[in-house]
Amino acid sequence: MTATAPRDEQLWTRCAGCATLLYRKRLRRNLDVCPECGTHARLDAPARLAQLVDPGSFAALPDRAAEVDPIGFVDVLPYPHRLAAARGDTGLAEAVICGTARIAGHTCALAVMDFRFLGGSLGCAVGELITRTAERALAERVPLVLVTASGGARMQEGVLSLMQMATVSQAIAALRGAGVPSVSILTDPTYGGVAASFATNTDVVLAESGARMGFAGPRVIRQVTGRDLPDGFQTAEFLLRHGQVDMVVPRHALRGRLAALLAVAGRRSGGPRPAQPSADVGAAGGTGLPRGGARDAWDTVRLARHPGRPTSLDYLESAFDGFVELHGDRLGGDCAAVVGGLAELGGRPVMVIGHQKGHTTAELMARNFGMASPAGHRKALRLMRLAARWGLPVVTLVDTPGADPAVDAEEHGQAAAIAENILALATLPTPVVAVITGEGGSGGALALAVADRVLMLEHAVYSVISPEGCAAILWPDRSAAPQAARALRLTSVDLHRLGVVDALVPEPTPAAHHDPAEAVRALREAVLAHLIPLLDLPTGTLVRQRRNRFRRYGAARLGVRAGAR
């Protein structure tokens, strides 16, 4: 709906769908749904709570979002200024409201996102608060309800915002393991890192009528592919036709449908409480920083993208022994951008999975520049699960600008495929070592990088968004990409300092493509050094440490404070 006066003062508003002039009080009585055409206006988090929960039943969690600026990000404004403005405009501390409530008498833990606050972006504090809500649901054995509205991960917090996808997903995994139900409600819009993690990896996924959801936004897809999009692309109804949501529910029926689900879920979640995990025994420390002085971030980006850098297949043929490639996702696709199969490393059998680019233009095009389709992510998932059944450790090689943003990828569930990989890796009962060998781009990289140990080649990069994409959104033009690269803190040294990466793998001077054989040798030694200690850990300890690894990107690092309980 559109209007010229402040919302609280206006008497009339015009429907954004059919342009009908509507009396605001009548519109509000109709739950902000146009009575003429059925267009669902966006709701802020307080209004959504008022419509869904029993009156007077909502109790906010006693946790407050801290002031977080983990990388000192500045574009045309310092990040703290943007936060202050968002808080002043919305009256909220962050882009989510969390607490417990009753819906038709059924108790649940609830997290409701608000798109008004920096586009509902998933930052470190937001991830921490949603994680704490899931942990409350687990502790009290009550269902978790998530209402999503987001443009994706928060660029101003760099790769640490990307880590929140894994942090919240692991909390969802803990609920799954304990048999505590979870439900997400997709509202307009739900995109990027939120769509590719907790919005789509709950037990049941509802979509409000007219809501849009996807990994890449329509504008990005048009720019990348140059194609027109089909009618209704990425809408709730489109998602239902393509098997990506359980049901589409109009707003007036949403509370009743949710109550019916909670009635069933409440009967299923009344089992014994799970045993509390013991203290984290800690992750192995990383190696020291590589030799040599600091390199400009933009120069590093260009090195990471150099077509001469060794690819995953180069490493598989040289660093590993006896590689046997396995193909297909068993659902009708075999994505060439993901390769994987059985091999030996130091005489030990392993499952190796990696993104594959290529060195020539023809190879790059045949491999879709290393951008995995849903079939690629599902092939990787099949191989991970096979490794778990056979008791094999997993090594992943990450080199992708991001997941495939094509129309077909969205139609076949790109966001859900990435989310399922993140969830599976969070609980995989076998050691996982990930190596960022070139580009680590957004959720497409994280889909292979939720690991016990994360290594990174000296001149690789790992980021929530490409510098060009960040510059196009936050700077006046894309020519600011070098400046954005520096602000994003995406180099190996930056990420080692932030604790995202455990160890850096030195490259030959001046970079890996000048001496591929030496780069292969260094990677082989680094993987072995970090994999061997993991082989002796009990499964429970291994999974617990992996969960705690990503959990630390919330409370321990960010200072989200718990109030008096």
Side-chain angles (χ1 to χ4, degrees):
M1 309 302 165
T2 59
T4 57
R7 182 167 181 168
D8 291 340
E9 300 175 8
Q10 68 194 31
L11 294 176
W12 298 86
T13 187
R14 193 173 297 279
C15 174
C18 65
T20 299
L21 194 63
L22 302 169
Y23 186 47
R24 168 144 292 282
K25 288 187 177 180
R26 181 190 178 200
L27 183 63
R28 179 53 57 89
R29 287 195 299 269
N30 204 44
L31 305 182
D32 283 279
V33 178
C34 175
E36 303 298 328
C37 71
T39 294
H40 286 53
R42 290 179 184 170
L43 294 180
D44 56 42
R48 180 73 63 178
L49 279 171
Q51 291 185 6
L52 286 180
V53 309
D54 297 351
S57 70
F58 180 76
L61 295 186
D63 301 319
R64 297 187 296 118
E67 189 78 26
V68 173
D69 185 14
I71 62 173
F73 189 94
V74 177
D75 49 281
V76 294
L77 284 176
Y79 177 43
H81 292 190
R82 292 192 182 276
L83 281 174
R87 287 168 179 157
D89 291 343
T90 64
L92 302 178
E94 256 296 348
V96 67
I97 296 178
C98 300
T100 58
R102 292 188 304 275
I103 298 176
H106 304 288
T107 301
C108 64
L110 191 68
V112 181
M113 303 185 76
D114 196 313
F115 191 76
R116 299 174 302 158
F117 196 107
L118 297 181
S121 51
L122 176 62
C124 297
V126 172
E128 171 69 14
L129 293 170
I130 296 175
T131 298
R132 291 193 179 196
T133 306
E135 290 170 346
R136 172 66 72 88
L138 180 61
E140 299 187 359
R141 307 286 295 182
V142 297
L144 173 69
V145 176
L146 304 175
V147 183
T148 61
S150 175
R154 189 169 295 177
M155 292 176 290
Q156 294 91 339
E157 296 181 18
V159 77
L160 288 173
S161 65
L162 192 65
M163 297 299 106
Q164 304 311 309
M165 296 167 61
T167 299
V168 181
S169 293
Q170 290 183 152
I172 301 294
L175 293 176
R176 280 193 181 185
V180 176
S182 57
V183 178
S184 64
I185 302 171
L186 309 179
T187 73
D188 189 58
T190 296
Y191 279 99
V194 172
S197 57
F198 55 89
T200 50
N201 62 23
T202 53
D203 294 326
V204 179
V205 180
L206 309 183
E208 186 174 69
S209 295
R212 294 169 297 156
M213 188 277 286
F215 182 62
R219 184 177 67 176
V220 172
I221 296 171
R222 290 191 191 96
Q223 290 174 345
V224 172
T225 66
R227 292 176 55 188
D228 292 331
L229 305 181
D231 291 340
F233 181 63
Q234 294 184 327
T235 63
E237 293 73 18
F238 173 94
L239 298 172
L240 185 65
R241 289 198 302 273
H242 290 88
Q244 297 176 41
V245 297
D246 288 285
M247 62 187 79
V248 175
V249 186
R251 186 172 293 164
H252 69 84
L254 194 55
R255 173 180 156 85
R257 193 64 56 88
L258 187 57
L261 286 171
L262 294 179
V264 176
R267 290 195 294 270
R268 295 184 60 224
S269 60
R273 291 177 178 266
Q276 295 300 311
S278 61
D280 183 16
V281 298
T287 62
L289 298 180
R291 63 196 182 285
R295 183 184 294 272
D296 181 74
W298 182 242
D299 291 337
T300 303
V301 170
R302 291 189 292 180
L303 283 177
R305 294 171 174 172
H306 195 285
R309 286 183 74 85
T311 67
S312 290
L313 281 177
D314 293 331
Y315 289 117
L316 287 168
E317 292 168 359
S318 302
F320 298 83
D321 301 314
F323 173 64
V324 178
E325 186 174 2
L326 302 177
H327 293 270
D329 66 350
R330 297 298 185 267
L331 294 172
D334 183 28
C335 174
V338 173
V339 296
L342 304 168
E344 287 190 358
L345 183 65
R348 296 169 177 83
V350 295
M351 182 72 76
V352 192
I353 307 165
H355 299 104
Q356 176 63 20
K357 286 183 176 179
H359 298 296
T360 67
T361 300
E363 289 173 347
L364 288 165
M365 293 181 66
R367 300 285 183 176
N368 197 29
F369 299 86
M371 296 186 293
S373 68
H377 290 120
R378 289 170 182 141
K379 174 165 68 174
L381 179 63
R382 182 175 72 84
L383 298 182
M384 294 170 197
R385 289 173 171 166
L386 179 59
R389 291 197 300 273
W390 287 7
L392 304 178
V394 174
V395 178
T396 64
L397 306 175
V398 177
D399 185 15
T400 178
D404 186 6
V407 172
D408 288 345
E410 293 292 331
E411 289 178 345
H412 291 92
Q414 181 71 287
I418 294 171
E420 196 62 33
N421 276 29
I422 293 171
L423 196 64
L425 281 170
T427 59
L428 203 70
T430 193
V432 183
V433 174
V435 188
I436 315 297
T437 63
E439 284 186 280
S442 191
L446 188 65
L448 293 186
V450 178
D452 302 296
R453 300 289 183 271
V454 179
L455 315 181
M456 191 168 178
L457 265 65
E458 181 179 355
H459 302 311
V461 294
Y462 190 14
S463 179
V464 65
I465 190 173
S466 70
E468 294 88 346
C470 182
I473 296 171
L474 295 180
W475 272 267
D477 56 67
R478 294 174 67 93
S479 66
Q483 188 177 349
R486 299 175 196 116
L488 284 166
R489 305 288 193 269
L490 45 68
T491 69
S492 60
V493 174
D494 290 324
L495 298 173
H496 187 274
R497 186 180 299 117
L498 287 168
V500 172
V501 170
D502 295 293
L504 310 188
V505 182
E507 297 187 22
T509 303
H513 58 278
H514 288 271
D515 189 350
E518 175 60 22
V520 166
R521 184 199 62 78
L523 180 139
R524 177 185 175 91
E525 290 183 357
V527 172
L528 274 171
H530 285 265
L531 177 61
I532 290 173
L534 298 173
L535 298 176
D536 294 328
L537 292 179
T539 297
T541 300
L542 192 72
V543 173
R544 183 171 63 251
Q545 286 187 183
R546 192 182 309 144
R547 287 180 172 177
N548 287 340
R549 171 196 180 88
F550 287 89
R551 185 66 181 86
R552 74 174 185 249
Y553 299 126
R557 283 196 158 273
L558 307 169
V560 174
R561 295 180 293 273
R565 297 185 184 277

